Amino acid sequence: MARIEKDYRRAVIYQIYVKSFCDSDGDGLGDLPGIIGKLDYLERLGVDYLWLTPFFPSPQHDNGYDVSDYCAVDPRYGTMADFDELVAKAAGKGMGIMLDMVLCHTSVEHEWFRRACAGEERYQRYYILRDGRGASGPGDPGEPPTNWQCAFGGSAWKWEPRLGKWYLHLHDVSQPDLDWANPEVRAALADVVRFWRERGVTGFRFDVINLISKPEVFEDVPGSGAACRALVADGPHVHEYLQELVASAGIDGMITVGEMASTDLANCIRYTRPEDHELSMSFSFHHLKVDYAGGDKWTLMEPDIARLRETLRTWQEGMQAGGGWNALFWDNHDQPRAITRFGGRAGVGERGGSWERVGKMLAVCDFFMKGTPYIYQGDELGMTNAGYTSIEQYDDVESHNNYRLLMERGATADEALAVVGERSRDNGRTPMQWSAGPGAGFTTGTPWLEIPATSELVNAEVEVGAEGSLFEFYRVLVALRHELDVVTEGAVRFLDAGDGAPKVIAYERTLGDERLVVACSFDEAPCATADLGVAGYEVLLGTYDDAPSTNELRPYEAVVWRR
Ligand code: NOJ
């Protein structure tokens, strides 16, 4: 079997949220045979690697990011034989498989945690256990050791009577953090990565990997909100631990990406500079917080495009200057759909509706930047937010926690639902829209998460092969990424589109004599742009059918000019 190892700088990665991609057996959950059945579709799109979200045994409190066995396939998703078949068949079509390694925490049902609770000290040293504050003695919980809040709302500590200690969980209460300061933990996790490498996996995505090295001293975070991410992110030994993991798992040179929570530019440069032998690239999220009022995900505001431009500029030009490499993306299974977020109305109008215009514009903006682009399943079709009208339709633990917290803080049920409607991670987790009709071609059974009404209009069946469709547009973009050296290697510099275009993001890519100018309008109205220096250039690509103007962009238009 061919091992698929490609130049990560030229590759396009497709993220598959396994649970929602394709259900082969009618149980309402996507599965590995379902993915095998869609390899022709993925080959047609032209992508190089498939990143599969966790399909390991898990109680599913956090949809598989709570792993109870790192080296097996959860029967609800298939068998190890299905996995081997997928690796082999994908390789036959030129696609590598990247696995999602959740190494910062396990599930409470993982054998290590169970043995810790059963009294084995060896496994107690695998987790981060502390006495309570103000505890009078053994058996008295006292108060949580610090005021830290977990990512999904509520304290980051849980009292475990069997341990007589509090354990740290930066995410759900069912996800105790592993103690990477223990060398035995690090060795065991390297074994996990090696196990999958030996099964033919040729790339990895590492979940919240910059949270693995905890601070030397655990102190309260000032204030009452007490989100502790910033305190824990990019900790004192994180680079050393990553280098060790990469070396001992034998994955140096493979395509790897780290998910970096609350990170900064300087650290992401270090994570991704080839000479440091850590990772190929990093996901950072600052550009997706431009619609968080006061930095709070659960307080709505319109996206601030000036801030978006500044954030992209900082990361594009900054990573370039430091020799780092960005993962480029708008969507994943933790984000509401970017099309909705940036103004596209779901399923309104026929082809050419705002959902499709915004979808094409966002794709151009991403694909021509410096880094490696990721397509999240359904991006290539123009999938939008779920559009649910009741809290019962949501599944995600974070959505339910925050719905409750919003009401505790005084919101009415309708107000809380409206916020969840915009911000829920389930917006990005609705089943893949393969066709119109019940089940959307995703399942013949009852889907685990309801299918949005937009599947009638936005689906693969109508878009594949249809001239001008978003799917066909993505195929062109993928092909251009493979072809154009200037997009892979060229320098990037952001351009000023002028006062008449406050919602336009423009940048250039240059390599030798070649110059591309990319202009993307996030404006629902037409706007006048400054001179971008494209007189005499050819139009490489545009998102409208007819020719663009060099001094005006139409609603949500994107254009790429080439010298
Ligand atoms: C990031 C994953 O993408 C998300 O889905 C998960 O809830 C957290 N990490 C915790 O593993």
Side-chain angles (χ1 to χ4, degrees):
M1 182 185 74
R3 270 184 82 81
I4 303 298
E5 297 195 49
K6 302 187 183 182
D7 178 357
Y8 65 83
R9 299 170 317 147
R10 203 174 282 270
V12 177
I13 297 165
Y14 189 91
Q15 182 191 349
I16 294 182
Y17 194 64
V18 178
K19 197 168 186 173
S20 296
F21 191 64
C22 184
D23 170 19
S24 70
D25 58 5
D27 66 357
L29 300 178
D31 47 44
L32 299 178
I35 301 172
I36 295 172
K38 296 295 181 187
L39 287 174
D40 288 346
Y41 170 89
L42 296 163
E43 183 184 28
R44 181 170 182 142
L45 190 55
V47 295
D48 302 284
Y49 286 92
L50 308 177
W51 150 24
L52 310 185
T53 56
F55 51 76
F56 316 110
S58 157
Q60 300 284 318
H61 293 297
D62 187 22
N63 274 342
Y65 284 88
D66 46 330
V67 179
S68 56
D69 182 351
Y70 287 116
C71 296
V73 175
D74 192 320
R76 71 188 100 201
Y77 296 126
T79 62
M80 200 53 104
D82 295 329
F83 177 74
D84 291 342
E85 184 182 339
L86 172 59
V87 172
K89 290 201 166 146
K93 292 178 180 298
M95 290 179 278
I97 299 291
M98 290 172 74
L99 288 201
D100 206 328
M101 297 282 101
V102 191
L103 307 182
C104 186
H105 44 258
T106 66
S107 158
V108 284
E109 292 187 18
H110 193 284
E111 189 193 350
W112 298 338
F113 195 75
R114 286 199 277 108
R115 292 176 75 168
C117 291
E120 286 189 52
E121 279 176 27
R122 173 179 172 193
Y123 291 103
Q124 291 171 356
R125 286 193 294 274
Y126 274 42
Y127 294 93
I128 298 176
L129 309 179
R130 291 284 187 276
D131 292 322
R133 220 186 330 217
S136 56
D140 175 16
E143 295 297 315
T146 64
N147 68 350
W148 299 357
Q149 299 282 299
C150 76
F152 302 148
S155 173
W157 295 97
K158 168 94 166 67
W159 172 254
E160 173 49 67
R162 289 170 297 172
L163 294 165
K165 302 268 184 200
W166 296 81
Y167 67 82
L168 179 69
H169 61 91
L170 294 179
H171 294 85
D172 185 50
V173 61
S174 67
Q175 294 165 304
D177 279 59
L178 284 163
D179 188 359
W180 278 63
N182 177 350
E184 195 179 317
V185 169
R186 302 202 300 274
L189 296 174
D191 285 348
V192 169
V193 176
R194 198 173 321 105
F195 171 87
W196 289 107
R197 192 204 68 193
E198 285 167 2
R199 284 208 97 89
V201 169
T202 50
F204 294 95
R205 179 252 190 201
F206 293 102
D207 190 66
V208 286
I209 199 70
N210 67 327
L211 303 182
I212 55 178
S213 171
K214 306 300 194 265
E216 309 285 354
V217 183
F218 285 16
E219 287 172 332
D220 275 358
V221 185
S224 55
C228 59
R229 286 279 185 115
L231 199 79
V232 177
D234 307 318
H237 301 286
V238 65
H239 296 284
E240 174 193 322
Y241 292 164
L242 266 173
Q243 285 167 9
E244 181 187 294
L245 174 72
V246 165
S248 45
I251 59 167
D252 195 16
M254 275 190 177
I255 190 166
T256 52
V257 57
E259 187 203 30
M260 305 301 176
S262 305
T263 190
D264 63 22
L265 181 59
N267 275 292
C268 284
I269 290 170
R270 291 185 62 193
Y271 292 129
T272 63
R273 272 189 313 214
E275 58 268 34
D276 285 344
H277 303 277
E278 295 184 24
L279 303 170
S280 318
M281 63 191 107
S282 57
F283 285 121
S284 61
F285 296 90
H286 302 281
H287 67 297
L288 293 174
K289 297 183 178 168
V290 298
D291 53 4
Y292 291 8
D296 174 22
K297 171 171 177 174
W298 304 95
T299 309
L300 303 181
M301 72 173 216
E302 286 297 307
D304 177 345
I305 303 302
R307 204 167 127 210
L308 175 64
R309 185 196 310 113
E310 191 47 28
T311 308
L312 293 175
R313 188 188 68 72
T314 303
W315 281 82
Q316 282 287 297
E317 297 181 0
M319 288 288 261
Q320 165 173 269
W325 194 257
N326 283 299
L328 307 171
F329 73 106
W330 295 111
D331 278 339
N332 64 30
H333 62 288
D334 293 330
Q335 298 292 331
R337 290 281 180 179
I339 291 182
T340 308
R341 205 161 179 175
F342 292 105
R345 265 158 304 160
V348 176
E350 297 301 316
R351 302 250 72 81
S354 66
W355 60 274
E356 196 180 68
R357 291 229 177 285
V358 175
K360 287 183 178 175
M361 180 276 290
L362 289 171
V364 169
C365 188
D366 233 20
F367 266 69
F368 284 87
M369 282 193 288
K370 193 169 180 118
T372 298
Y374 284 68
I375 301 173
Y376 177 56
Q377 65 182 47
D379 282 352
E380 76 281 19
L381 302 175
M383 283 177 59
T384 46
N385 277 356
Y388 295 155
T389 51
S390 143
I391 191 67
E392 274 74 53
Q393 290 169 292
Y394 291 92
D395 172 87
D396 183 25
V397 55
E398 185 202 48
S399 305
H400 285 279
N401 282 357
N402 282 282
Y403 178 73
R404 182 177 40 76
L405 289 171
L406 283 162
M407 291 198 293
E408 279 170 22
R409 277 190 242 133
T412 64
D414 283 351
E415 286 164 351
L417 187 64
V419 175
V420 170
E422 295 293 327
R423 295 293 147 88
S424 172
R425 304 193 296 180
D426 284 341
N427 285 311
R429 298 177 178 185
T430 59
M432 182 72 175
Q433 296 171 186
W434 294 107
S435 59
F442 162 72
T443 183
T444 53
T446 307
W448 74 279
L449 200 58
E450 269 179 52
I451 289 168
T454 52
S455 59
E456 294 292 323
L457 174 74
V458 178
N459 64 62
E461 196 171 29
V462 296
E463 293 190 41
V464 174
E467 204 187 324
S469 72
L470 194 48
F471 179 86
E472 294 301 324
F473 189 76
Y474 262 93
R475 285 184 68 202
V476 171
L477 289 175
V478 174
L480 286 171
R481 278 298 305 201
H482 291 154
E483 262 166 47
L484 297 175
D485 292 340
V486 63
V487 189
T488 310
E489 291 161 33
V492 63
R493 188 173 69 95
F494 272 57
L495 304 173
D496 184 358
D499 294 343
K503 291 192 174 179
V504 169
I505 294 183
Y507 57 88
E508 66 170 19
R509 303 295 311 273
T510 49
L511 183 69
D513 288 341
E514 199 166 1
R515 179 172 186 254
L516 300 181
V517 172
V518 182
C520 303
S521 174
F522 285 71
D523 208 327
E524 63 181 337
C527 61
T529 50
D531 181 5
L532 295 170
V534 295
Y537 283 33
E538 66 162 332
V539 174
L540 176 68
L541 192 77
T543 54
Y544 278 62
D545 292 340
D546 46 352
S549 139
T550 54
N551 53 19
E552 187 184 291
L553 287 175
R554 291 166 280 189
Y556 304 120
E557 183 172 18
V559 187
V560 183
W561 290 275
R562 170 154 74 170
R563 173 169 67 199

